[in-house]
Amino acid sequence: MAGGGADGGCPSAESEGEAAVACEALRLLRIEPSAVGPGAGRAGGAARCSRNALRKRRRWERVLAARRRKRRQERERSRARRGRGPGAAGRDGGRALAAVAKERLLQARASGPRLCVDLGVADRMTRKETSRLASQIRRLYGANRRAEKPFWLCLTEFVAGSLIYEECFRMNDGFSNYLMDTTQESYLDLFPLDAIVYLTPDSENVLQDIDPDKVYVLGGLVDESIHKKLTLQRAQEQSLQTARLPIREYMVKTFNAKNYHSETLAINQVFDVLSTYYETRSWPAALKAGVSSGKGYVLPDGSEINGNNSA
């Protein structure tokens, strides 16, 4: 009698358990167990359930595949739009500007004028001052690269292993790619003496104009270094022409608490004056561009900025 229930075809506990598992699987596949019908516990019903589940799973997989294709197409369209959008125009414009700047610099190398930074005096500075000089060289180069009428730049007595050499490479990204000359030689070995003009604030001669056939030399010293008349003495010992910017000819002293007035500028500030004058032929405009009010000099009220005002 104990086995009579099973032999008589009545559902056993084991069959009921299998049916429960099948229903749970159908629920996870988002198939309602009621769709299977009352015969789900039997072999025929289980087969129908399996076919239904397989069919719905395949349909769901097709839906998912279609969604993935749609997302991939949207990403491709988005990338295409970005490639045609303002960003792409900006990148193309940036490359075009870089090409123009390079062409101008190479033209300056061929036809001048030339500007040399004399690093033969750089050993007079502390490490902090040397770092500041390296930063000024970067700013000078950046301004020259942006200029409509650039100079051709040269760092002379730029000795490998020296402190200024190491600081230029350490502080200035891409320094090795700067479009300028760097050499361990002196400007005296590179150019005729009568073509060199050493710019120093201690000179008695006023710079009247910029001559493309000349080579202008700036002493590689930071503006706060106290080396009175060092660059003037160096130029005189080398029998060179000297000149100073016409600051006192076009500007006036302004009152400040420390009664401080200085015509000594950082090399990038001197370059800003030279570059602006070379483009505008106006000393007031040039001095306004390069001489900060902190130097104690300002243009007089009503000073004419535009036009040819060379002395």
Side-chain angles (χ1 to χ4, degrees), residues 42-205:
R42 298 181 176 84
R48 286 195 297 276
C49 287
S50 298
R51 285 195 297 272
N52 288 339
L54 183 61
R55 186 170 57 253
K56 292 194 176 186
R57 186 180 66 186
R58 287 174 177 172
R59 186 166 62 245
W60 180 245
E61 289 174 350
R62 287 195 296 271
V63 171
L64 292 179
R67 290 180 180 176
R68 284 194 292 268
R69 283 195 302 272
K70 184 177 180 180
R71 284 196 295 267
R72 184 167 60 249
Q73 291 168 355
E74 288 176 350
R75 286 195 298 268
E76 291 172 354
R77 285 195 294 269
S78 179
R79 282 195 293 267
R81 285 194 298 270
R82 287 197 298 270
R84 295 190 300 267
R91 290 190 293 273
D92 292 341
R95 285 191 289 267
L97 290 174
V100 170
K102 181 178 180 179
E103 182 179 352
R104 287 173 178 165
L105 288 171
L106 295 177
Q107 184 177 354
R109 179 167 65 178
S111 58
R114 296 176 181 272
L115 183 73
C116 288
V117 179
D118 173 20
L119 298 176
V121 293
D123 59 353
R124 310 292 185 98
M125 296 183 297
T126 65
R127 177 175 287 276
K128 179 181 177 181
E129 291 170 335
T130 304
S131 297
R132 295 197 58 163
L133 177 61
S135 296
Q136 291 172 11
I137 290 172
R138 180 185 67 249
R139 289 195 288 271
L140 190 159
Y141 176 78
N144 190 54
R145 191 172 180 274
R146 294 188 298 270
E148 291 288 333
K149 298 173 65 176
F151 288 62
W152 182 250
L153 304 180
C154 182
L155 304 184
T156 58
E157 297 191 51
F158 188 61
V159 180
S162 65
L163 184 56
I164 184 60
Y165 181 95
E166 293 175 352
E167 288 299 284
C168 281
F169 280 94
R170 184 182 70 85
M171 299 186 64
N172 303 332
D173 291 339
F175 181 80
S176 58
N177 296 322
Y178 282 11
L179 272 176
M180 64 181 182
D181 288 330
T182 59
T183 177
Q184 297 190 37
E185 296 183 86
S186 168
Y187 47 85
L188 299 175
D189 302 319
L190 300 173
F191 310 106
L193 290 183
D194 59 0
I196 300 174
V197 179
Y198 207 117
L199 298 178
T200 169
D202 300 309
S203 176
E204 295 179 357
N205 307 314

Side-chain angles (χ1 to χ4, degrees), residues 184-258:
Q184 297 190 37
E185 296 183 86
S186 168
Y187 47 85
L188 299 175
D189 302 319
L190 300 173
F191 310 106
L193 290 183
D194 59 0
I196 300 174
V197 179
Y198 207 117
L199 298 178
T200 169
D202 300 309
S203 176
E204 295 179 357
N205 307 314
V206 179
L207 182 65
Q208 304 286 345
D209 202 357
I210 294 177
D211 185 348
D213 296 326
K214 295 292 187 181
V215 179
Y216 297 93
V217 178
L218 301 178
L221 294 169
V222 294
D223 58 342
E224 66 265 28
S225 296
I226 307 301
H227 300 289
K228 190 170 179 62
K229 297 189 176 181
L230 174 62
T231 52
L232 177 63
Q233 293 170 359
R234 182 174 174 82
Q236 289 175 338
E237 290 170 0
Q238 296 168 344
S239 302
L240 300 175
Q241 302 174 61
T242 63
R244 61 173 174 82
L245 298 177
I247 294 177
R248 67 189 76 157
E249 282 70 27
Y250 286 93
M251 307 187 84
V252 295
K253 292 182 178 180
T254 183
F255 173 79
N256 56 70
K258 296 183 179 180

Side-chain angles (χ1 to χ4, degrees), residues 29-47:
L29 288 170
R30 301 192 180 187
I31 302 172
E32 290 297 329
S34 60
V36 178
R42 298 181 176 84

